[in-house]
Amino acid sequence: MAKVIPRPQLSFWENIYFVEIFKGLATTWGHAQKNLIKGDFPTRNYPDELPALPRDYRARHRLMKRPDGTPRCVACFMCSTACPARCINIVAEESDRLDIEKRPAKFEIDLLLCVFCGFCVEACPCDAIRMDTTLGVMVADNRADFVINKTTLMDWAPADYPATDTQSQKAPGGSLHAQALADFNSGNRH
Amino acid sequence: MFDWILANPYAVAGLLLPIVIPLVVFQILPLLVLIERRGAAFIQDRAGPNRAYIYIPVLGVKLRAFGMIYNATDAVKLLFKENFIPPFVHKGWYLFAPGIPVITGLLGLALIPWFAPMSYVAGESLAVLSGQMIEANSGILLLFAFGGLGVYGIVLGSWASNSKYSLLGGMRASAMMISYEVSMGLSVMGMLMLVGSLGLTQVVEWQGAHTWGIVVQPIGFLLFLVSMFAECNRNPFDVAEGESEIVAGFHTEFNGVKFMTFMTAEYLHVIAASVLLATVYLGGYQLLPLPLPLDGFDAPWVDLNTLWLKNHLGIIAGLMLAGGGAGLLGFAYLLVGRRRTYQANDANAVLKAERSKEYGLYIAVFALGGLGMLAGAVASVMLMHTAALGQTINNTVIFPGWVNAVTAFIQFNILIGKAMLFCWLFVWVRWTLPRFRYDQIMALGWKVMLNIALVNLLVTAVIAKLVR
Ligand code: SF4
Ligand code: SF4
């Protein structure tokens, strides 16, 4: 059986509109004068004042670095295989180290295709790609500039990452770099 | 030629004012757009458009002028947009239509008495320069005629667009115009009956001699106000645009500069309606609704009419300048608070530096302006003594030209000030009330407002007859 919802009956004062109109005007006036005089809006002046994104926000990617500054990526294509948007374009080449087979000659991500799902990060077997840059705003004036390459992906400094993030601090410039580089040269790659 | 101009300043003023005053009043339009945008934002708890800026190289300031720059950017954008004409429209009428409401709006402004008629000596006799640019006996009727013509632009534009949505919008506009024109005419009729004339100057003079229209005709005022909202196609009566039902109504097919012309006309009609409301119901250029006991309570109370104004020009000019100066200083003080919050924002150093500089400039400008106005107030109270300047010729007090000019300027400002109250009311109501449904509008117009207007007219007629 259909449920009958009774129409709300307006009282006499509601029916002549004017009382209700003045009530509404009082409400909006309250907001207008509060905002005009105090000026602290609940909104943010967005591109001027960016929100502080948490580290686990899936922002723009970065490629992690080994202590010697080369990318940790071994060009295994796991990320590009996992990528639902097919936006990771890797070209592999032979590594110049005996203990590492391959390295990426080219590593491109098309940010316009990317759906920021984070599958690439999950898929990577050696923690070489991450999305913890908190770069939530990506701006360019043509499509080509939205395809970011290896240089852009590796352009980050350990100082911008927390001290507890050991992997980042082992990269050149990080607090754990000296020890890590010694280990690395003595054969301990991770 | 030049000698003639110097010899006949009133004649020259009479020739120039019909062009100058509508153009000056036209300058309220950007301000109104700003009020509409930022006012809407403040009502809705957001900051509103404030990011477009002009960089001033010497000062190194990004001047945003509280969002005023958007007027310029909008105009530039709309002017340089492709002037696309859809292939299915009636080209001639389509291009012609947006101009009509602008022209009728400007003509309506020319019918308003902006200042009291001033008498002057022309050769042997006395002559009068009216504050009404077009002085017609039909007065307010002509104004209504122009107001009614404005809707022709909308209907013609919608018809020429040759599109269903446009046509629906145009039909709605014309139907609403017809229904609300009736109650508008009937509601203002009570006022006209009391005055006994159709001339707007007489309406204002009557209000000066008695009291403001809003006091004697409160119901007529409310009805007229509501009808004006309908006339201007403003919310809650903007069914002609009705973007949730018929795309954008009558201007669906209009783009670029043609669209801009329609929008200009809308705001122009808001200004014209505000000025008309102020003229008919808020005493026009009159200073106060009631006489004041300036000479003590036992003496006859002083009516602050035009003659009194001309006799005490210094004091009134001083008071107005002082009020304006205090307003500017208050605003500067408000900006000081804003600047402090920006300076306390350490999260964004660039923003902090930029905004501090920018607000510093604003504060300097407004504080200097306010202090300048206060100085002007003191100067005018000290220096402007006009009581002795009037000479009585043929029972008329004649003042020198500059006194007349200053008086006209003050009265113009009084009227504009009152009109700005209504402009804000238009914006305020637009962002408070939802849009009426079309059938609700028709029911309200024909079944409610018309009847109230008729009863109001009847009661006014009886009372007017009894009082006379
Ligand atoms: S976040 Fe998702 S879509 Fe983007 S590159 Fe990684 S796997 Fe592909
Ligand atoms: S999954 Fe990791 S290691 Fe493999 S190609 Fe992608 S980034 Fe490089």
Side-chain angles (χ1 to χ4, degrees):
Chain A
M1 216 188 80
K3 191 182 172 202
V4 178
I5 299 173
R7 267 176 172 273
Q9 285 297 314
L10 299 184
S11 71
F12 170 75
W13 291 111
E14 285 166 343
N15 239 330
I16 61 168
Y17 293 138
F18 270 105
V19 182
E20 293 297 308
I21 287 176
F22 282 116
K23 275 191 202 165
L25 287 176
T27 307
T28 44
W29 175 256
H31 283 262
Q33 60 94 15
K34 189 191 86 206
N35 289 323
L36 178 68
I37 291 170
K38 282 228 197 88
D40 52 344
F41 303 98
T43 53
R44 174 185 288 116
N45 286 323
Y46 169 56
D48 289 341
E49 296 162 17
L50 294 176
L53 295 178
R55 281 283 167 212
D56 47 3
Y57 180 89
R58 292 198 294 272
R60 213 204 69 193
H61 314 68
R62 64 168 171 153
L63 280 180
M64 304 299 286
K65 288 181 264 191
R66 295 206 183 92
D68 64 346
T70 55
R72 286 177 64 88
C73 174
V74 294
C76 68
F77 289 80
M78 293 243 202
C79 53
S80 65
T81 311
C83 177
R86 305 268 174 100
C87 64
I88 306 182
N89 178 18
I90 306 169
V91 174
E93 68 181 3
E94 205 171 330
S95 162
D96 56 357
R97 288 179 65 107
L98 286 178
D99 52 352
I100 300 170
E101 256 183 58
K102 291 189 291 178
R103 66 178 182 196
K106 194 167 140 189
F107 195 109
E108 286 178 349
I109 300 180
D110 188 341
L111 293 175
L112 289 179
L113 289 181
C114 175
V115 295
F116 297 89
C117 59
F119 286 2
C120 48
V121 180
E122 306 263 325
C124 183
C126 45
D127 192 12
I129 187 165
R130 284 197 190 177
M131 297 178 79
D132 57 356
T133 50
T134 66
L135 294 172
V137 188
M138 284 148 257
V139 187
D141 26 18
N142 57 58
R143 276 161 190 273
D145 288 352
F146 276 108
V147 182
I148 51 172
N149 56 17
K150 208 167 69 180
T151 324
T152 318
L153 282 166
M154 288 173 58
D155 182 16
W156 54 271
D160 295 339
Y161 291 86
T164 48
D165 181 356
T166 45
Q167 195 68 274
S168 296
Q169 297 306 334
K170 285 179 181 174
S175 52
L176 305 174
H177 176 240
Q179 178 62 39
L181 189 63
D183 284 357
F184 184 78
N185 289 337
S186 65
N188 181 5
R189 292 205 312 273
H190 297 287
Chain B
M1 179 68 195
F2 196 62
D3 292 340
W4 183 84
I5 291 178
L6 282 184
N8 299 290
Y10 288 97
V12 175
L15 286 177
L16 284 185
L17 283 180
I19 305 162
V20 172
I21 287 202
L23 286 183
V24 168
V25 177
F26 203 70
Q27 303 312 313
I28 301 177
L29 206 132
L31 193 62
L32 184 57
V33 175
L34 179 78
I35 293 175
E36 172 104 287
R37 285 179 169 160
R38 298 305 299 276
F42 286 165
I43 282 173
Q44 297 170 346
D45 275 352
R46 55 192 173 85
N50 60 356
R51 286 175 49 76
Y53 63 84
I54 291 176
Y55 183 69
I56 304 179
V58 187
L59 299 171
V61 169
K62 285 181 176 175
L63 187 74
R64 298 178 302 157
F66 314 106
M68 197 64 125
I69 306 297
Y70 275 93
N71 287 314
T73 54
D74 280 350
V76 169
K77 176 201 160 201
L78 287 169
L79 280 174
F80 286 95
K81 241 180 164 176
E82 183 193 357
N83 191 9
F84 177 71
I85 299 177
F88 45 80
V89 300
H90 281 275
K91 227 174 173 183
W93 295 124
Y94 173 82
L95 291 177
F96 179 57
I100 298 178
V102 176
I103 293 170
T104 57
L106 283 175
L107 280 173
L109 290 179
L111 282 161
I112 304 283
W114 293 100
F115 48 83
M118 39 172 125
S119 313
Y120 61 97
V121 186
E124 300 294 293
S125 56
L126 289 184
V128 174
L129 176 66
S130 171
Q132 224 171 335
M133 301 303 114
I134 306 170
E135 227 186 335
N137 285 336
S138 46
I140 200 163
L141 289 187
L142 194 56
L143 197 68
F144 286 167
F146 283 143
L149 272 180
V151 87
Y152 274 68
I154 292 176
V155 176
L156 190 63
S158 68
W159 182 264
S161 294
N162 199 4
S163 131
K164 288 192 209 72
Y165 295 121
S166 300
L167 191 59
L168 276 172
M171 292 296 105
R172 285 178 173 199
S174 56
M176 202 167 71
M177 213 273 303
I178 291 169
S179 5
Y180 280 83
E181 198 99 308
V182 178
S183 43
M184 179 176 84
L186 286 176
S187 57
V188 82
M189 203 67 87
M191 193 66 207
L192 298 179
M193 212 145 59
L194 291 175
V195 178
S197 165
L198 285 171
L200 279 169
T201 309
Q202 282 86 325
V203 171
V204 178
E205 287 299 322
W206 185 89
Q207 292 181 79
H210 299 82
T211 184
W212 289 0
I214 189 171
V215 182
V216 288
Q217 283 278 303
I219 298 191
F221 167 72
L222 280 179
L223 291 173
F224 194 66
L225 183 68
V226 174
S227 313
M228 273 298 153
F229 274 91
E231 273 291 292
C232 297
N233 270 324
R234 291 281 296 192
N235 214 332
F237 297 104
D238 62 345
V239 284
E241 216 172 305
E243 71 276 349
S244 53
E245 305 132 32
I246 47 173
V247 190
F250 63 94
H251 57 64
T252 306
E253 310 292 344
F254 288 85
N255 64 338
V257 71
K258 303 186 288 297
F259 172 75
M260 184 169 84
T261 317
F262 263 136
M263 282 292 112
T264 311
E266 183 186 328
Y267 285 104
L268 203 55
H269 279 162
V270 170
I271 295 172
S274 307
V275 174
L276 181 61
L277 275 161
T279 304
V280 179
Y281 287 102
L282 231 49
Y285 49 72
Q286 305 286 355
L287 198 55
L288 286 178
L290 288 172
L292 286 186
L294 288 183
D295 304 334
F297 285 93
D298 303 329
W301 289 19
V302 185
D303 188 7
L304 307 192
N305 55 14
T306 311
L307 186 60
W308 189 89
L309 185 62
K310 283 183 182 171
N311 276 326
H312 303 78
L313 204 54
I315 295 166
I316 292 299
L319 278 179
M320 288 181 71
L321 280 171
L328 288 189
L329 285 181
F331 193 60
Y333 178 72
L334 198 73
L335 292 177
V336 170
R338 282 304 153 83
R339 184 159 183 263
R340 213 171 281 144
T341 50
Y342 278 119
Q343 277 178 324
N345 171 13
D346 291 316
N348 191 332
V350 182
L351 199 67
K352 187 175 160 181
E354 259 178 20
R355 292 289 148 85
S356 302
K357 223 175 185 183
E358 188 191 350
Y359 274 75
L361 178 68
Y362 294 155
I363 292 165
V365 168
F366 281 102
L368 278 181
L371 291 177
M373 279 175 96
L374 286 185
V378 174
S380 68
V381 171
M382 307 259 290
L383 301 178
M384 250 199 264
H385 296 295
T386 50
L389 292 177
Q391 299 163 326
T392 312
I393 304 173
N394 293 352
N395 290 332
T396 318
V397 189
I398 305 292
F399 279 91
W402 69 269
V403 178
N404 282 341
V406 174
T407 312
F409 184 68
I410 287 179
Q411 289 180 330
F412 178 77
N413 279 324
I414 292 174
L415 182 51
I416 291 289
K418 289 173 182 172
M420 287 314 280
L421 290 181
F422 284 112
C423 282
W424 165 244
L425 186 69
F426 273 94
V427 172
W428 187 10
V429 166
R430 173 169 182 187
W431 299 102
T432 303
L433 300 184
R435 176 185 298 140
F436 278 122
R437 226 168 44 218
Y438 183 65
D439 59 312
Q440 289 172 329
I441 287 185
M442 286 295 132
L444 183 69
W446 288 109
K447 293 186 189 158
V448 181
M449 296 217 354
L450 183 56
N451 296 340
I452 299 179
L454 280 172
V455 171
N456 179 48
L457 189 63
L458 209 67
V459 172
T460 314
V462 170
I463 291 178
K465 193 74 199 162
L466 288 181
V467 169
R468 285 244 170 93

